[in-house]
Amino acid sequence: MGVANVMAALATGVRTIDSSVGGLGGCPYSPGATGNVATEDVLYSLKDSPYTASGDLNEIANIGMWISNEIGRENSSRVGKALHAKKMKERSREQEIQKTRD
């Protein structure tokens, strides 16, 4: 619901939104808290909307995957996971093409 809440807040005039790469973080006092709204998910949701935000979606997604791997926590960004899967598929395809050339 985080992204939906961001969009609703923007519609009411809020112009400062907090998010975190990969959705990392959360409340230490709330057991089972899932974390924060992922910056990648917010940026993706703002595409083709009346609102703008700075940041390179692909680079932020790369950082989200990297930091999640470094700390051993699953990346909770749906957009980050989708972009990573797309990147891995492209790499695999390139490796297959290279094998056929060799």
Side-chain angles (χ1 to χ4, degrees), residues 8-101:
L10 290 170
T12 66
V14 173
R15 293 297 178 258
T16 301
I17 303 293
D18 289 335
S19 64
S20 65
V21 67
L24 296 172
C27 179
Y29 307 109
S30 180
T34 57
N36 295 304
V37 64
T39 303
E40 304 91 313
D41 296 347
V42 172
L43 288 177
Y44 184 81
S45 295
L46 293 176
K47 289 174 60 170
D48 301 322
S49 80
Y51 311 106
T52 60
S54 60
D56 182 322
L57 177 59
N58 288 312
E59 285 303 312
I60 291 172
N62 288 339
I63 292 166
M65 289 307 292
W66 173 80
I67 192 71
S68 295
N69 288 332
E70 287 293 309
I71 64 173
R73 181 172 173 193
E74 183 180 353
N75 185 331
S76 66
S77 168
R78 290 182 173 159
V79 172
K81 286 189 246 183
L83 290 174
H84 181 71
K86 180 181 176 184
K87 186 177 173 182
M88 293 298 101
K89 186 174 182 177
E90 288 170 358
R91 274 192 193 159
S92 177
R93 191 174 313 137
E94 289 170 4
Q95 289 171 347
E96 288 300 318
I97 291 170
Q98 187 62 38
K99 284 181 186 178
T100 61
R101 288 181 183 164

